[in-house]
Amino acid sequence: MMSVETKSGKITFSKNTTPETNSVSKTTVRHYTIDVNFKKDLDDYNPTLKSVLKIEELFQKHGEFDSKSQLSRALGGSMKMPVLTVILKYLKSLGKILDNDDGSWTWIFAKDNKKLRKSWDHAVEL
């Protein structure tokens, strides 16, 4: 577990999956996990912030892509497939996109949208 002091309180990072807030000491716990293979891919291909933002912009504009190759074609061949794969893994780990069973990718990120989060939590998997 790692802790960092900020102006608004203390932030603690751990390997659990649910966020907790302690209102007395203003401690916010943010939980995340990074796959070991993802770290290796990140070291090997290291996408730039500009590339990540380009992918996010495309997802915001189109909402969904039927496949990784369709997304690559939408980029106009300006990005190598391994770099695109690393970016997709990253966005998935942040909860911004979903990879569906049929190989399609869907943009699901809506910042602080409680109605969408509640709807997603109560959704029935088909």
Side-chain angles (χ1 to χ4, degrees), residues 57-74:
E57 184 180 312
L58 274 175
F59 268 107
Q60 288 174 355
K61 184 177 178 184
H62 296 286
E64 184 176 22
F65 290 94
D66 292 335
S67 64
K68 223 186 302 188
S69 60
Q70 183 187 19
L71 177 58
S72 180
R73 284 192 300 272

Side-chain angles (χ1 to χ4, degrees), residues 11-102:
I11 300 174
T12 306
F13 298 93
S14 70
K15 291 187 178 183
N16 296 338
T17 57
T18 58
E20 304 165 7
T21 303
N22 182 346
S23 59
V24 175
S25 64
K26 291 189 177 182
T27 300
T28 304
V29 179
R30 296 181 184 158
H31 305 282
Y32 65 98
T33 57
I34 297 178
D35 186 4
V36 174
N37 293 332
F38 178 67
K39 275 185 157 180
K40 183 184 179 311
D41 289 344
L42 192 59
D43 289 340
D44 291 345
Y45 301 108
N46 198 13
T48 63
L49 177 60
K50 186 176 178 180
S51 299
V52 174
L53 293 176
K54 189 182 232 184
I55 300 296
E56 282 188 0
E57 184 180 312
L58 274 175
F59 268 107
Q60 288 174 355
K61 184 177 178 184
H62 296 286
E64 184 176 22
F65 290 94
D66 292 335
S67 64
K68 223 186 302 188
S69 60
Q70 183 187 19
L71 177 58
S72 180
R73 284 192 300 272
L75 289 166
S78 64
M79 191 176 299
K80 295 180 181 179
M81 194 58 82
V83 175
L84 177 59
T85 302
V86 170
I87 292 172
L88 291 175
K89 285 181 185 179
Y90 173 70
L91 292 176
K92 182 181 175 186
S93 72
L94 292 178
K96 291 187 174 187
I97 61 173
L98 283 178
D99 61 335
N100 302 311
D101 294 335
D102 61 354

